[in-house]
Amino acid sequence: MPAQKILLYPHPVLKKVCHPVTAVDQEIAGLIDDLLDTMHAGPGSVGVAAPQIGVTLRVCVVDVSGSRHGKENNHGQLVMINPEILSCEGGAVMREGCMSVPDYTGDVERSTAITVRFQDGAGVERQLECSGFEAVAIQHEMDHLDGILFLDRIVSLKTGLFRRKNYK
Amino acid sequence: MMTRLENLAHFAVTVVGKDRPGIVAGATGALYRLGCNIEDSSSTMLGGEFSMILIVGHDKPFTKAKLLEGFKALGEEMGLTVSVRPLSRDESLHRAPEGELCMISVYGSDRPGIVYRVARALADRQVNITDLNTKLIGTEQEPVYVMMLEAAIPEGLSVDDVAMLLDEIKKELNVEISVRSITPVSL
């Protein structure tokens, strides 16, 4: 499957609450392929959520293993269907950028450790404990499934929102 | 074909006055009536003075004199000082600073020269300050000076190098200085 075009805000799909997936069928398999291809095509991308490619279903993919922030602590490539956070702890601020909101980055506080339950690409239920950058990336992608952008989470515009400078 | 930018005249506008309700509404109302678009802005209250810095655009032709004229009544009515600087096309093209970003926190007993010494050391190494805020906290008897600055580090210099560079000033001025990387993560 080719990489899909990433929708940019103000596309209305990015503010929709996505529907749960009821059956992991051919259509979902195709969506997962599209999400993975899109993630791999984005320079430095560590995750993509279905609404970012125009599909309002609760599916996202995350892989921080290639990022310098996540390479020491990750579960590899994750396909997450109907993900739910069961518990979270800690809090830390990171400056986040989003492919759907180009040119800006913002300081967002996220939990530093989460327990997340989801179905994987084969429809098998899994539960993982994630921390560090992987936990941040999962929270960011899961926000997309509820129509929440990092702009909704910035604590202070004065000190929290920045014109994008550079990414590494 | 002319690009959108070539059709626009850009200005840096600063508005300063004793804080009171209505300054933002007054200033942005004046800009709206003039047909100006606010492209970037930062406003805050400092020691009872409210200050606004705005980058505005307007379809050409448009002049600094017209902008100042549009603020005349408001400035007199609310006691505001308004200044306008026309920006050349090059100046209005935003260029993102290069290099890794870091946040430098400096705090300690208040004394003159903290900002200067840190800023001079950074400037001598071509470290570019992109944002700077200072505050006086603590008690009247023991005021504590806090400075937070964001800076872009040039190629060839690391966050650790900057920390080492500031370490000497830290001892000299008897202040705490911490440097951390804040290069954004792409999600």
Side-chain angles (χ1 to χ4, degrees):
Chain A
M1 295 275 175
Q4 304 292 302
K5 198 171 150 228
I6 293 279
L7 300 184
L8 304 182
Y9 186 77
H11 197 292
V13 164
L14 292 166
K15 293 305 295 176
K16 291 257 194 304
V17 175
C18 296
H19 308 288
V21 171
T22 49
V24 181
D25 53 16
Q26 270 315 103
E27 182 199 342
I28 298 299
L31 170 62
I32 291 167
D33 283 347
D34 285 352
L35 288 171
L36 290 173
D37 288 343
T38 308
M39 176 171 69
H40 295 144
S45 170
V46 296
V48 179
Q52 289 182 283
I53 61 168
V55 180
T56 52
L57 287 171
R58 302 188 78 80
V59 184
C60 63
V61 296
V62 171
D63 184 356
V64 300
S65 62
S67 145
R68 72 179 171 120
H69 298 281
K71 66 180 173 210
E72 305 291 333
N73 173 20
N74 66 77
H75 291 89
Q77 181 172 284
L78 297 173
V79 172
M80 309 179 105
I81 299 169
N82 300 329
E84 263 182 279
I85 290 179
L86 302 177
S87 67
C88 52
E89 60 183 85
V93 174
M94 265 194 132
R95 190 166 293 185
E96 296 184 10
C98 175
M99 288 192 289
S100 293
V101 187
D103 298 333
Y104 276 92
T105 62
D107 285 349
V108 179
E109 182 165 8
R110 305 272 188 195
S111 301
T112 46
I114 57 169
T115 304
V116 61
R117 181 169 64 195
F118 56 96
Q119 288 165 271
D120 66 15
V124 176
E125 190 163 299
R126 294 181 66 185
Q127 190 168 312
L128 287 180
E129 285 176 14
C130 303
S131 59
F133 186 45
E134 186 175 55
V136 170
I138 291 170
Q139 290 169 80
H140 179 107
E141 299 312 330
M142 282 180 65
D143 267 356
H144 278 300
L145 308 182
D146 288 319
I148 297 169
L149 299 174
F150 77 87
L151 295 172
D152 295 300
R153 297 229 182 254
I154 288 170
V155 181
S156 155
L157 190 61
K158 183 180 172 189
T159 55
L161 182 67
F162 304 88
R163 225 175 248 286
R164 178 176 296 223
K165 280 143 188 169
N166 63 336
Y167 279 157
K168 274 199 178 154
Chain B
M1 204 178 89
M2 294 260 279
T3 64
R4 181 180 159 270
L5 203 57
E6 283 168 334
N7 283 322
L8 286 175
H10 283 94
F11 302 87
V13 180
T14 60
V15 179
V16 183
K18 189 173 158 38
D19 186 52
R20 56 188 277 194
I23 296 178
V24 175
T28 54
L31 290 169
Y32 177 69
R33 283 186 293 276
L34 286 162
C36 288
N37 190 30
I38 300 170
E39 297 192 359
D40 217 345
S41 76
S42 180
S43 301
T44 195
M45 192 168 71
L46 300 168
E49 291 290 299
F50 191 76
S51 62
M52 303 179 72
I53 308 171
L54 308 106
I55 303 297
V56 305
H58 192 286
D59 288 337
K60 284 178 183 172
F62 194 70
T63 60
K64 173 182 167 176
K66 277 188 192 159
L67 237 170
L68 284 170
E69 178 64 30
F71 272 97
K72 200 164 178 279
L74 177 80
E76 283 166 10
E77 181 198 331
M78 298 194 81
L80 304 174
T81 305
V82 180
S83 71
V84 174
R85 189 166 83 84
L87 300 179
S88 67
R89 184 167 181 271
D90 282 352
E91 287 173 316
S92 56
L93 281 171
H94 177 80
R95 252 185 60 236
E98 297 286 326
E100 189 168 357
L101 273 185
C102 67
M103 178 67 79
I104 302 172
S105 319
V106 182
Y107 59 94
S109 297
D110 185 28
R111 58 184 286 182
I114 296 177
V115 179
Y116 167 66
R117 291 297 311 281
V118 172
R120 186 75 263 163
L122 295 175
D124 288 345
R125 292 298 204 90
Q126 298 299 306
V127 177
N128 189 20
I129 297 173
T130 53
D131 200 82
L132 165 69
N133 280 289
T134 63
K135 274 273 177 285
L136 204 51
I137 61 166
T139 62
E140 211 172 298
Q141 290 74 32
E142 286 199 55
V144 173
Y145 200 76
V146 182
M147 167 163 76
M148 303 283 278
L149 66 84
E150 185 191 284
I153 304 172
E155 193 126 345
L157 216 59
S158 69
V159 171
D160 290 344
D161 293 334
V162 174
M164 262 166 54
L165 171 73
L166 297 177
D167 213 39
E168 289 182 22
I169 297 176
K170 182 172 153 175
K171 287 173 202 144
E172 245 178 79
L173 294 175
N174 194 25
V175 292
E176 304 295 329
I177 302 183
S178 66
V179 184
R180 62 190 171 92
S181 172
I182 48 161
T183 297
V185 294
S186 178
L187 291 159

